[in-house]
């Protein structure tokens, strides 16, 4: 124990023999190691030094040695330590504590103690217990505070005891306060503090934070390379040997290429490489068994535990790719692109699908024009030699490429490698039949228009690029809009079949285009097209004419002049400037009119006299162009003279120029309107006639008695649909089918229309009075009743007339095997509503 006299010094302890003995901050002395104590080691010094003032004190510690085989006779009956309250003195009738208090040393109790409980620790007493009857008590955690009841005190004797084993890992130190009072509860002594330290015992094994530790190390790493750190913890006091851990490697699997490839720092748990030779291609993973032992690694007294460290050797690019063959072969048809010619295969010992394994191919020779490229298949790592530009067999038929294979990342340095991995690729080009081609294409020639049919224009020939194939070329015409040309199928000579006309609608900007086809005799045959462009040079083959061709002027024009122009289908210098003249015949032309040239293309026609009568005048104007030779033409200007309003327009008549439709168009529109009205009228008449026929049929036939219609609706027996095609021309009155003049005298059916004079029916007025309608109906009814010719004649309806000598026999010939009276037709009632009429006719009673 060290007393600082109440100055709160910061004291640091140290022994003179730290190799064998050490001391902690509480003054507890421990053995630093396990050793046999010699008499020379039984005495040593303990130093106490003030950390601030560096003041130093020391004390001598002597050890009493006894044989380890002789039991300690003092155990079990050694005298219990006694702690007294500090002395006090009286001052002015009251107790007063002395200036300097006693320093109560801590009580050390080992954890996990065995034996009977309670066990006595110390005795608390006061010097005043001789004159007073005192009562002792303790307070604080472990006494009257949780955990309650760990420590108890005899209130009479002051004996302090522990009631159960202590666990340092739960509570390492207890701070209690002892009290002394008289029987009346008055405080006799000032409370004193009691510190109870639980001495640690080695009762906890080390525990690793993880049972399996994973780490990585690049292959080829040098010795001393850090891998990872493993950590274990011990719940015992880390300041004591019980909690001081040491690490070591128990085993390594596999043992190649060195049985001690790794080592571990025994205090920190850092794992580092110890030997060289890490090669992922040989060993990809190492498994280490790591042991942690407390008691500073003492194998005899220390507790230990193990964990597994898995170290994965990661790949680095220490293996270049190597071609599986020195030469690769491939072939490709000419003029083909995006075609794989050959597959280049390599091997690489590095880890697949990593930058150290992925191959990159480069063409370093034999492809000066850049017609090939090599792509890498991401799955197989093969090199795909691909054609990226068309190849002409006639230019070059074989390519010899030099190819280099590398990885995506550089090889690591410091390793001796084989020479660069190269290979040769031999590519053969296959000759195919190619299209013939015209040269030049398009071909431009200059030709005057007016070239007659049968004249040669030019030679337009094609070439066959397949000079190693014996083939012939034939020519044909593909496009000739005006059908002016033809081409010789063998020579390519182009001649005319009609006169070339620059003013044709097929000529655009003096250019005429025709397309021709050249086909070879290969298998399969190939063809190519060429365009012939003929630039037609103008000749003076079109006479000029006046424009506009129709004008109008007033009877008394003001001004009395008309501006006109000349148009010519030709171009300069076969067009303007033009010469405008009036002919000498007829004489009244020059008498009434005069023409003046305004410019090369325009002239002014003026009226010499003051006025003209209304009407239309055709004035001939002779126009001559500037061609060589010149062409002249007399065209007529149609002049309409009319009465004009104040604005100068012909009154009542739209201007000729302003009308949008000609006379022919107006006539066509009128005809269309008339035809449309006629069709509408015919449709209305037809509809009315159909309504009358329908009303007449309704008068003649009762729908309920229409047996024919009932039979048409029946569709279960089959064949009823065929009866729907009727010859309605037979359904007419007998006298309309066969005149009376050809009938035998005295032969007439009872249901025929009698021959009588037609009765006079009343005629209804166009606009009758409503009161006369009833009279009109009654008169019509009487007339119908008295008309013997009005149907029904004898209550029988006429459906058809067979005439005399009909090929059809009498219906009476259709005899049945039995008479109607003997036949039972009641079953017709069971056949449904379609046979109701027959059931009523034959299956009923005699009535």
């Amino acid at each position: 124990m060290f007393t600082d006299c109440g100055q709160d010094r910061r004291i640091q302890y140290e022994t003179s023999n730290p190799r064998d003995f050490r001391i902690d901050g509480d003054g507890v002395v421990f053995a630093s190691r396990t050793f046999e104590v010699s008499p020379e080691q039984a005495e040593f010094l303990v130093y106490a030094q003030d950390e601030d003032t560096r003041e130093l004190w020391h004390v001598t510690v002597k050890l009493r040695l006894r044989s380890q085989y002789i039991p300690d006779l003092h155990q079990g009956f050694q005298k219990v330590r006694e702690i007294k309250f500090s002395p006090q003195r009286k001052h002015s009738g009251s107790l007063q504590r002395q200036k300097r208090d006693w320093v109560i040393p801590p009580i050390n109790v080992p954890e996990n103690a065995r034996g009977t409980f309670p066990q006595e620790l110390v005795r608390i007493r006061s010097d005043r217990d001789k004159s007073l009857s005192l009562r002792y008590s303790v307070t604080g955690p472990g006494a009257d505070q949780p955990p309650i009841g760990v420590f108890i005190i005899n209130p009479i004797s002051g004996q302090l005891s522990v009631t159960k084993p202590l666990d340092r890992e739960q509570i390492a130190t207890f701070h209690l306060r002892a009290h002394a009072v008289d029987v009346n509860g008055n405080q006799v002594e000032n409370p004193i503090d009691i510190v109870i330290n639980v001495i640690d015992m080695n009762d906890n094994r080390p525990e690793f934070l993880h049972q399996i530790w994973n780490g990585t190390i690049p292959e080829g790493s040098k010795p001393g390379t850090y891998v990872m750190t493993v950590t274990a913890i011990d719940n015992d006091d880390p300041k004591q040997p019980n909690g001081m851990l040491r690490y070591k490697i128990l085993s390594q699997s596999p043992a190649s290429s060195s049985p001690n490839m790794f080592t571990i720092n025994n205090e920190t748990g850092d794992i580092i490489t110890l030997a060289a030779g890490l090669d992922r291609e040989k060993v990809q993973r190492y498994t280490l068994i790591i042991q942690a032992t407390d008691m500073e690694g003492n194998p005899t007294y220390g507790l230990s535990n193990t964990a597994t460290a898995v170290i994965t050797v990661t790949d680095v690019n220490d293996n270049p790719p190597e071609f599986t063959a020195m030469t690769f072969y491939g072939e490709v048809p000419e003029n083909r692109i995006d075609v794989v010619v050959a597959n280049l295969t390599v091997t690489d010992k590095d880890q697949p699908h990593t930058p150290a394994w992925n191959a990159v191919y480069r063409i370093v020779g034999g492809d000066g024009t850049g017609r090939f490229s090599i792509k890498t298949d991401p799955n197989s790592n093969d090199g795909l030699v691909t054609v990226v530009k068309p190849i002409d067999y006639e230019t070059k038929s074989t390519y010899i490429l030099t190819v280099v294979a590398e990885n995506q990342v550089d090889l690591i340095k410091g390793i001796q490698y084989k020479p660069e991995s190269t290979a040769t690729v031999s590519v053969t080009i296959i000759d195919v039949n190619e299209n013939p081609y015209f040269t030049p294409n398009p071909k431009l020639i200059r030709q005057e228009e007016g070239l007659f049919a049968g004249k040669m224009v030019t030679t337009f020939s094609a070439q066959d690029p397949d000079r190693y194939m014996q083939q012939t070329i034939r020519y044909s015409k593909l496009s000739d809009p005006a059908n002016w040309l033809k081409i010789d199928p063998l020579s390519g000579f182009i001649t005319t079949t009609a006169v070339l006309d620059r003013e044709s609608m097929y000529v655009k900007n003096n250019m005429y285009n025709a397309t021709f086809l050249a086909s070879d005799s290969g298998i399969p045959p190939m063809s190519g097209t060429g365009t012939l462009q003929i630039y037609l040079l103008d000749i003076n083959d079109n006479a000029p004419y006046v424009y506009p061709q129709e004008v109008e002027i007033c009877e008394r024009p003001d001004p009395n002049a008309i501006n006109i122009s000349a148009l010519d289908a030709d171009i300069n210098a076969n067009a303007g400037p033009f010469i405008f003249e009036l002919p000498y015949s007829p004489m009244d032309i020059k008498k009434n009119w005069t023409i003046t040239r305004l410019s090369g293309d325009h002239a002014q026609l003026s009226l010499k006299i003051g006025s003209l009568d209304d009407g239309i005048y055709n004035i001939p104007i002779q126009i001559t162009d500037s061609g060589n030779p010149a062409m002249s033409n007399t065209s007529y200007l149609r002049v309409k003279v009319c009465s004009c309003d104040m604005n100068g327009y012909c009154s009542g008549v739209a201007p000729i120029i302003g009308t949008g439709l000609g006379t022919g168009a107006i006539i066509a529109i009128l005809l269309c309107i008339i035809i449309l009205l006629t069709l509408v009228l015919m449709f209305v008449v037809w509809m009315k006639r159909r309504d009358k026929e329908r009303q007449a049929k309704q008068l003649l036939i009762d729908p309920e008695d229409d047996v024919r219609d009932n039979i048409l609706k029946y569709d279960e027996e089959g064949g009823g649909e065929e009866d729907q095609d009727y010859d309605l021309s037979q359904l007419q009155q007998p006298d309309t089918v066969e005149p009376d003049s050809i009938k035998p005298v005295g032969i007439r059916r009872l249901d025929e229309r009698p021959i009588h004079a037609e009765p006079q029916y009343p005629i209804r007025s166009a606009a009758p009075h409503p009161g006369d309608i009833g009279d009109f109906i009654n008169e019509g009814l009487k007339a119908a009743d008295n008309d013997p010719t009005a149907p029904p004649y004898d209550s029988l309806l006429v459906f058809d007339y067979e005439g005399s000598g009909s090929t059809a026999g009498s219906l009476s010939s259709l005899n049945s095997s039995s008479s109607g009276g003997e036949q039972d037709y009641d079953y017709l009632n069971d056949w449904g509503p379609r046979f109701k009429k027959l059931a009523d006719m034959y299956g009923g009673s005699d009535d």
Side-chain angles (χ1 to χ4, degrees):
M1 301 305 302
F2 180 82
T3 302
D4 60 358
C5 303
Q7 298 182 14
D8 295 330
R9 296 174 181 267
R10 293 193 304 165
I11 301 301
Q12 181 180 0
Y13 298 103
E14 188 176 356
T15 67
S16 60
N17 187 9
R19 181 174 178 274
D20 297 331
F21 302 98
R22 61 183 179 83
I23 183 172
D24 61 8
D26 295 332
V28 181
V29 180
F30 300 92
S32 299
R33 61 188 180 89
T34 302
F35 63 96
E36 295 292 336
V37 182
S38 63
E40 293 80 8
Q41 295 172 321
E43 182 176 327
F44 58 91
L45 298 179
V46 174
Y47 301 96
Q49 186 175 25
D50 191 319
E51 295 182 359
D52 298 326
T53 64
R54 312 308 295 174
E55 189 176 357
L56 186 64
W57 299 268
H58 69 275
V59 68
T60 301
V61 177
K62 294 182 180 182
L63 299 182
R64 179 175 58 85
L65 302 179
R66 71 174 187 271
S67 174
Q68 59 181 342
Y69 303 105
I70 300 175
D72 190 355
L73 298 178
H74 297 278
Q75 269 190 337
F77 55 85
Q78 59 183 349
K79 187 177 180 180
V80 178
R81 179 181 174 186
E82 186 179 82
I83 298 177
K84 290 184 178 182
F85 285 90
S86 58
Q88 296 181 352
R89 63 180 179 178
K90 246 178 191 181
H91 180 72
S92 299
S94 62
L95 293 176
Q96 183 179 8
R97 188 184 180 112
Q98 291 182 347
K99 184 176 181 181
R100 177 174 297 180
D101 292 338
W102 293 95
V103 177
I104 307 301
I107 301 173
N108 296 325
V109 180
E111 66 173 333
N112 303 324
R114 298 181 181 180
T116 59
F117 291 93
Q119 291 183 358
E120 298 177 353
L121 299 180
V122 294
R123 180 183 177 190
I124 310 281
R125 63 177 296 273
S126 173
D127 292 337
R128 302 188 56 155
D129 61 355
K130 296 177 182 180
S131 59
L132 296 175
S133 178
L134 301 182
R135 297 293 183 267
Y136 300 98
S137 64
V138 290
T139 59
D144 61 343
Q145 299 178 17
I148 299 175
V150 177
F151 300 97
I152 59 175
I153 190 170
N154 190 313
I156 304 299
S157 63
Q159 185 69 40
L160 179 65
S161 304
V162 60
T163 62
K164 62 180 180 179
L166 303 180
D167 188 356
R168 192 203 65 85
E169 284 70 41
Q170 292 183 359
I171 301 177
T173 303
F174 292 89
H175 295 272
L176 304 179
R177 175 163 287 191
H179 306 271
V181 297
D182 58 15
V183 293
N184 296 323
N186 297 321
Q187 180 176 320
V188 177
E189 299 283 1
N190 290 331
I192 60 173
D193 294 329
I194 300 175
V195 177
I196 300 175
N197 291 327
V198 182
I199 304 302
D200 183 41
M201 304 296 290
N202 192 15
D203 58 344
N204 290 280
R205 288 182 178 274
E207 296 290 340
F208 284 91
L209 296 181
H210 305 287
Q211 195 58 36
I212 298 178
W213 297 78
N214 293 296
T216 59
I217 182 70
E219 62 176 330
S221 297
K222 298 179 180 180
T225 303
Y226 171 80
V227 180
M228 62 178 175
T229 300
V230 296
T231 303
I233 58 175
D234 195 318
N235 290 331
D236 291 327
D237 189 356
K239 298 180 180 180
Q240 304 298 326
N242 298 333
M244 296 181 178
L245 306 181
R246 297 294 183 265
Y247 301 92
K248 75 173 182 177
I249 298 175
L250 295 182
S251 65
Q252 169 189 308
S253 176
S256 61
S257 57
S258 172
N260 298 316
M261 185 64 69
F262 303 94
T263 186
I264 188 170
N265 188 308
N266 64 347
E267 293 186 2
T268 62
D270 294 341
I271 300 177
I272 59 176
T273 58
L274 184 62
L278 288 173
D279 191 350
R280 191 203 65 85
E281 287 71 36
K282 294 180 180 179
V283 180
Q284 298 183 4
R285 186 176 293 104
Y286 289 90
T287 301
L288 307 179
I289 304 300
I290 310 299
Q291 183 186 62
T293 306
D294 58 15
M295 294 299 292
E296 299 181 294
N298 190 309
T300 303
Y301 304 103
L303 302 176
S304 62
N305 212 337
T306 61
T308 302
V310 178
I311 301 175
T312 302
V313 182
T314 59
D315 186 40
V316 297
N317 193 14
D318 57 346
N319 293 282
E322 297 180 4
F323 284 101
T324 58
M326 296 299 297
T327 305
F328 296 88
Y329 298 92
E331 59 182 19
V332 62
E334 64 174 330
N335 300 320
R336 297 281 299 275
I337 60 173
D338 296 330
V339 177
V340 176
V341 177
N343 281 17
L344 310 182
T345 56
V346 296
T347 60
D348 196 317
K349 297 179 181 179
D350 291 321
Q351 186 175 359
H353 306 292
T354 61
W357 178 82
N358 297 334
V360 178
Y361 300 88
R362 292 187 298 111
I363 300 175
V364 296
D367 186 24
T369 56
R371 299 187 180 276
F372 299 91
S373 70
I374 304 179
K375 301 177 182 178
T376 303
D377 188 319
N379 296 321
S380 63
N381 213 25
D382 294 346
L384 308 179
V385 182
T386 308
V387 180
V388 295
K389 292 182 181 180
I391 301 175
D392 187 11
Y393 171 83
E394 286 71 25
T395 303
K396 192 173 183 179
S397 60
T398 303
Y399 285 83
I400 305 298
L401 308 179
T402 302
V403 180
V404 174
E406 301 170 337
N407 290 125
Q408 290 182 347
V409 295
D410 296 334
L411 295 168
I412 61 173
K413 299 178 181 180
I415 301 178
Q416 193 71 21
Y417 299 105
K418 296 180 180 179
E420 189 176 39
S421 183
T422 60
T424 301
V425 182
S426 177
V427 181
T428 301
I429 311 302
I430 302 174
D431 190 16
V432 297
N433 189 20
E434 300 177 75
N435 298 325
Y437 61 93
F438 288 89
T439 178
N441 188 16
K443 183 176 182 179
L444 176 64
I445 63 172
R446 301 172 68 87
Q447 177 66 48
E448 282 189 351
E449 66 172 328
L451 186 65
F452 294 106
K455 298 296 183 179
M456 181 176 176
V457 178
T458 185
T459 299
F460 197 22
S461 60
Q463 297 181 4
D464 191 348
D466 301 310
R467 59 176 180 267
Y468 297 108
M469 298 181 182
Q470 301 299 325
Q471 298 181 149
T472 58
I473 297 179
R474 297 185 65 85
Y475 302 94
S476 61
K477 185 171 62 174
L478 191 63
S479 173
D480 183 12
N483 200 22
W484 286 345
L485 307 172
K486 72 175 181 178
I487 187 169
D488 186 271
L490 298 178
S491 63
F493 293 163
I494 297 178
T495 56
T496 59
T497 59
V499 178
L500 303 184
D501 185 8
R502 191 198 65 84
E503 290 75 31
S504 170
M505 59 181 294
Y506 302 105
V507 178
K508 306 297 180 183
N509 298 326
N510 303 326
M511 191 75 70
Y512 181 76
N513 294 325
T515 305
F516 298 92
L517 182 70
S519 304
D520 61 19
S521 58
I523 300 176
M526 303 299 291
S527 61
T529 60
T531 301
L532 177 65
Q533 295 180 333
I534 304 176
Y535 187 86
L536 294 175
L537 303 176
D538 186 39
I539 62 174
N540 196 12
D541 57 346
N542 293 278
Y545 58 92
V546 68
Y547 180 84
Q549 296 180 351
E550 294 183 356
V551 295
E552 62 180 20
I553 61 175
C554 299
E555 293 176 333
R556 299 180 180 276
D558 183 20
N560 60 351
I562 302 172
N563 293 330
I564 60 175
S565 301
L567 299 180
D568 194 327
D570 295 324
I571 60 175
N572 293 331
N574 294 320
F578 300 98
I579 300 175
F580 299 88
E581 296 177 321
L582 294 176
Y584 291 96
S585 171
M587 296 297 295
D588 58 344
I589 296 300
K590 283 203 170 186
K591 177 180 178 182
N592 296 333
W593 304 89
T594 181
I595 191 167
T596 304
R597 179 179 175 184
L598 300 179
S599 63
D601 298 335
H602 305 282
Q604 189 176 68
L605 183 66
S606 304
L607 185 63
K608 289 183 177 181
I609 60 179
S611 63
L612 286 175
D613 295 334
D614 290 354
I616 297 176
Y617 298 87
N618 291 321
I619 302 174
I621 299 177
Q622 184 175 356
I623 305 175
T624 305
D625 60 22
S626 299
N628 187 17
M631 292 194 68
S632 180
N633 178 39
T634 300
S635 58
Y636 288 86
L637 177 65
R638 190 167 181 264
V639 180
K640 180 180 180 181
V641 180
C642 59
S643 300
C644 296
D645 56 15
M646 59 184 300
N647 295 323
Y649 294 107
C650 290
S651 58
V653 181
I656 296 176
I657 302 303
T659 57
L661 298 175
T663 303
I666 296 175
I667 294 174
I669 292 174
L670 293 176
L671 288 176
C672 291
I673 294 174
I674 293 172
I675 292 172
L676 181 61
L677 293 176
T678 303
L679 292 175
V680 173
L681 182 62
M682 292 175 64
F683 178 75
V684 172
V685 171
W686 177 77
M687 290 292 294
K688 289 184 177 181
R689 182 176 296 177
R690 191 177 68 168
D691 292 341
K692 289 181 179 180
E693 292 177 354
R694 185 181 302 166
Q695 294 174 0
K697 289 181 179 180
Q698 292 177 355
L699 292 174
L700 293 174
I701 302 173
D702 187 359
E704 294 182 357
D705 296 333
D706 190 1
V707 179
R708 178 181 59 82
D709 187 61
N710 292 337
I711 294 175
L712 284 177
K713 292 182 180 179
Y714 177 66
D715 56 0
E716 295 181 358
E717 291 289 327
E721 292 81 355
E722 299 177 355
D723 296 335
Q724 293 182 5
D725 295 329
Y726 306 105
D727 185 6
L728 298 180
S729 64
Q730 302 299 325
L731 299 179
Q732 48 188 317
Q733 299 299 333
D735 57 347
T736 62
V737 177
E738 188 175 2
D740 293 340
S741 60
I742 63 175
K743 291 183 179 181
V745 178
I747 300 176
R748 181 176 297 277
R749 287 170 42 180
L750 295 178
D751 59 348
E752 291 182 8
R753 181 179 179 180
I755 302 175
H756 294 283
E758 295 290 338
Q760 296 297 324
Y761 283 86
I763 300 175
R764 183 181 178 184
S765 62
H769 189 273
D772 298 334
I773 294 177
D775 296 336
F776 173 77
I777 293 176
N778 292 329
E779 292 176 3
L781 180 61
K782 292 179 181 180
D785 293 338
N786 297 325
D787 185 5
T789 65
Y793 312 121
D794 59 351
S795 75
L796 296 178
L797 299 178
V798 178
F799 293 95
D800 196 4
Y801 180 69
E802 295 182 357
S804 62
S806 173
T807 58
S810 175
L811 293 177
S812 61
S813 63
L814 301 176
N815 295 325
S816 113
S817 60
S818 62
S819 64
E822 298 176 357
Q823 182 69 32
D824 184 9
Y825 294 100
D826 291 340
Y827 61 87
L828 293 175
N829 292 318
D830 300 332
W831 286 14
R834 298 183 182 275
F835 293 90
K836 184 177 183 303
K837 179 66 68 176
L838 290 176
D840 294 341
M841 294 173 61
Y842 293 94
S845 63
D846 294 340
D847 294 339

